[in-house]
Amino acid sequence: MKKLILLLGLVLGGGMFTSCDDFLDVNTDPNNPTTATPNFLLPNIISNGAQTQMFTALRTPFITQYLVSRTGGNTVDNYFYTNAQSTNSFNYTYFYSGGNIPPMIAAAEAEGSVYYVGAGKIMMALILSHATDMFGDTPYTEAFLGAQNYTPKYDPQEEIYATINRLLDEGIVEMSKPASANFRPLYVTAPSVSGDILYRGDVTKWIKLANSLKARQNHHLTKKASYDPNAILALVDQGFKATADDAQLQFQVAVAPLVSTTNIFGTTRNNFATSTFSANFIKYLDGRTFGVVDPRLPIMATATSTGADPGLGGGPQPTTVQTDFYASWYARELGYFELITYHELKFIEAEAAFRANNRARAFTAFQEGIRAHMRKIGVGGFSTSIPVVAYPTISEAQITAYLASTAVPQSAADLTLKSIMEQKYIAMFLNPESWSDLRRFDFNPAIYVNFRVPSGVNQALVTAATPTTPASIRFPRRLLPGATEVLYNPNEIARIGANAPDYIAQPVWWDQP
């Protein structure tokens, strides 16, 4: 964390350096620079931008019921949330990652490195899209000013969405320029690696990422009259073409005393030692929902995982970290964290095509989404985590058999939104984006048939019964602002109503008609 704190200090200290120009002119220390070239800023922007989503993914899997606590009455299972739980997601967005983007873009523009300008705009759109989808209204127009403004206003989500689209369009323009227009190589390998650690200087993949993200964000608007499924399909056509295009961060071996380079879901960080799989998730894999055992079961979980319902506990508190969760392919120490993937895009395509009444395209995309996910995780191999796990492979024959089984529709005419969303839910395991889908479909039990109201749910989210209607639960629709905002920006927190006991149940803009 020392390196991250140093970078944060450089960003927040901008005002101090300006007021001391004369002093610094005389006392310049070449060993302690106050500025950096774009290739040294971009890796931090990418890695910490990904970490933003990782920290969110410590909370959302309990909302989406991929995971539950192993002990009954757990506050996270039951939707009791605190501002402190959101602090890392907020701070990594606005300081560790986003705070370095404006300086990088300015430096890149000054030297004519257009690809760094493009990467900066696309990364800003990526972290901003995650922030607004998790929090709702969020700072932008007055953000990223460091010590000049600790109390930025919260912009309406509708305006944030317009900004995201603009940033992505601008990023695509920069990335589409010829190499002759770019001064500094986007990926630098000597004397040390720097620059684009996401795609290693492949601007075509950055363009695909921008279009895929635009498709995802605009697909969120299914409740709005302005939603246009054909526009989504046009963006999909310009997006990812294969799993090799996936935007994901590769984890590395931990370097003492740091562990932040290892998988946030893995045993070194040990964030899920007291968690197990939700029955909601396992039932899709073990035959209880579809009557077919999914070949992904022993890879995503274990062949004997049963899962548990939220709020009830999944068994006694473990005495070691060797829980069934750590046998998951997703808990590999040297795995990777998925930001947005080809298989997700295929399910977006399937739903958009279904809504556009293009059943043939929807069915083809639906099958490809399943196939791409199975191929990605079905590569076999060993995990070096504790416990050491040997992952089985998934053969093409198994994929073909599953696609021919009763687990999925067998024709375009039989395809339903329910089947699309069930398979997307499986393929999006642990990704915070699944929460966006659950909200878009209002946690509909006809779509998500295994979803359960937690035992001991937060009563602030329960609507009392009336003589004509029974009591009902309002599921979480947003996270609380970070604790640092409560401390330093309390007036804005009060203005947006974030102090209300039921604030987490209030729908964000795109979650309303």
Side-chain angles (χ1 to χ4, degrees), residues 210-232:
N211 282 305
S212 299
L213 184 58
K214 282 190 71 175
R216 174 200 273 181
Q217 295 307 115
N218 287 282
H219 189 58
H220 286 167
L221 309 184
T222 50
K223 291 182 179 179
K224 300 294 185 183
S226 61
Y227 176 75
D228 181 358
N230 288 307
I232 305 302

Side-chain angles (χ1 to χ4, degrees), residues 313-500:
Q317 191 76 8
T319 57
T320 73
V321 297
Q322 298 184 25
T323 68
D324 60 345
F325 175 79
Y326 288 127
S328 173
W329 184 87
Y330 287 84
R332 295 165 302 145
E333 292 285 35
L334 305 186
Y336 35 75
F337 184 84
E338 298 174 338
L339 299 169
I340 179 170
T341 62
Y342 170 69
H343 57 260
E344 177 189 343
L345 191 66
K346 300 313 289 184
F347 286 113
I348 291 173
E349 179 184 359
E351 184 186 346
F354 185 93
R355 292 178 183 273
N357 202 31
N358 187 342
R359 294 297 184 91
R361 179 169 181 175
F363 187 62
T364 299
F366 169 74
Q367 289 189 311
E368 177 61 11
I370 298 171
R371 188 178 292 111
H373 182 246
M374 285 189 172
R375 286 173 175 166
K376 183 170 186 177
I377 71 170
V379 295
F382 289 85
S383 164
T384 57
S385 305
I386 300 174
V388 175
V389 179
Y391 299 110
T393 59
I394 299 178
S395 68
E396 289 299 308
Q398 285 177 294
I399 296 174
T400 299
Y402 184 82
L403 290 174
S405 74
T406 57
V408 296
Q410 294 302 299
S411 69
D414 293 333
L415 187 66
T416 63
L417 279 176
K418 175 178 179 289
S419 55
I420 293 171
M421 300 315 298
E422 285 174 334
Q423 290 297 325
K424 185 181 181 184
Y425 177 82
I426 295 170
M428 295 291 288
F429 183 57
L430 300 179
N431 195 307
E433 176 61 16
S434 272
W435 187 24
S436 299
D437 289 333
L438 281 158
R439 287 177 285 175
R440 286 193 303 112
F441 283 90
D442 296 313
F443 297 80
N444 188 343
I447 299 290
Y448 299 99
V449 296
N450 299 323
F451 208 84
R452 295 290 179 265
V453 175
S455 172
V457 68
N458 184 349
Q459 289 300 297
L461 309 185
V462 175
T463 301
T466 70
T468 57
T469 59
S472 60
I473 171 71
R474 291 180 295 159
F475 291 104
R477 317 298 281 226
R478 66 174 80 203
L479 297 179
L480 292 171
T484 48
E485 284 296 279
V486 176
L487 181 62
Y488 294 111
N489 202 6
N491 291 337
E492 274 297 283
I493 296 302
R495 185 185 68 80
I496 65 173
N499 294 322

Side-chain angles (χ1 to χ4, degrees), residues 134-156:
M134 299 300 110
F135 295 113
D137 296 353
T138 197
Y140 177 72
T141 55
E142 294 183 3
F144 312 111
L145 296 176
Q148 297 177 48
N149 186 7
Y150 286 130
T151 59
K153 73 175 182 180
Y154 279 55
D155 297 316

Side-chain angles (χ1 to χ4, degrees), residues 36 56 71 106 133 149 166 185 187 201 218 242-243 258 306 367 407-408 412 447:
T56 306
T71 56
D133 290 336
N149 186 7
R166 175 181 58 79
Y187 184 58
N218 287 282
T243 295
L258 302 179
T306 59
Q367 289 189 311
V408 296
I447 299 290

